[in-house]
Amino acid sequence: NAGVTQTPKFQVLKTGQSMTLQCAQDMNHEYMSWYRQDPGMGLRLIHYSVGAGITDQGEVPNGYNVSRSTTEDFPLRLLSAAPSQTSVYFCASSLRGPKLYNQPQHFGDGTRLSIL
Amino acid sequence: RKEVEQDPGPFNVPEGATVAFNCTYSNSASQSFFWYRQDCRKEPKLLMSVYSSGNEDGRFTAQLNRASQYISLLIRDSKLSDSATYLCAVSASGTYKYIFGTGTRLKVLA
């Protein structure tokens, strides 16, 4: 059971480039989310999805797009990379999501992204 | 005021010591509470959920105080391997978001 798989693990981009961070889970989880983690800022929610075909914005959505065409996959797209998007990105999933009681999230091992 | 707050630490404790962290939350509708452990340059890993009556998992004890709106994590007989950052997470009924604290750093010293 792979859990939550993120690719790539590391990426360096130039300002203005676009790219997609991949996230897949094999636990049939309804809820998936993307966070970025910066020193001293904790985990900040970028986008989340409560099921296939449904996505919504989190705390810091600007510059990022998501889609959820299947239950398993939740890719994060950087439209035009900026140095301010240099960060560690984590994808997470939970079975039914925070609306229900005791639904913890499980995290992928992260993507370290540097924008030059 | 932040929705979820933690003392950033670091808490430096000797091996074998008992240490406790608190995490305060502002939303009285919060219903689910979690403690995660995060090692340097790694992903957060679920340590334990926090139940209303309190719960224990080996050397770790989690408690919820709804009146004062905080959760706590107690670690007994600290090991060098307990050195990490401990994150709390909270979710409220009727919402679609988990809110994380910024974490408390623990260093267990030999």
Side-chain angles (χ1 to χ4, degrees), chain B residues 15-52:
Chain B
E15 270 187 294
T18 296
V19 62
F21 314 130
N22 285 343
C23 166
T24 59
Y25 60 94
S26 61
N27 186 348
S28 59
S30 298
Q31 65 169 2
S32 298
F33 309 88
F34 310 96
W35 283 104
Y36 286 82
R37 171 195 169 123
Q38 186 174 26
D39 294 296
C40 186
R41 301 179 67 80
K42 297 287 190 179
E43 75 275 21
K45 292 185 178 178
L46 180 67
L47 183 63
M48 57 200 304
S49 299
V50 185
Y51 302 120
S52 296

Side-chain angles (χ1 to χ4, degrees), chain B residues 65-86:
Chain B
N65 186 317
R66 284 198 182 274
S68 300
Q69 297 188 190
Y70 72 89
I71 61 173
S72 64
L73 178 68
L74 181 80
I75 306 175
R76 290 182 299 277
D77 188 22
S78 298
K79 312 290 185 190
L80 292 175
S81 57
D82 293 333
S83 296
T85 296
Y86 291 84

Side-chain angles (χ1 to χ4, degrees), chain A residues 23-70:
Chain A
C23 176
Q25 52 87 14
D26 61 0
M27 299 173 284
N28 201 30
H29 283 181
E30 291 182 356
Y31 184 90
M32 296 185 74
S33 56
W34 276 101
Y35 295 88
R36 59 177 290 174
Q37 188 174 38
D38 303 291
M41 302 291 290
L43 288 162
R44 292 187 290 170
L45 182 64
I46 304 171
H47 286 284
Y48 64 93
S49 169
V50 298
I54 306 170
T55 64
D56 207 344
Q57 296 181 351
E59 181 186 359
V60 288
N62 291 342
Y64 307 95
N65 274 356
V66 292
S67 60
R68 185 96 180 268
S69 56
T70 67

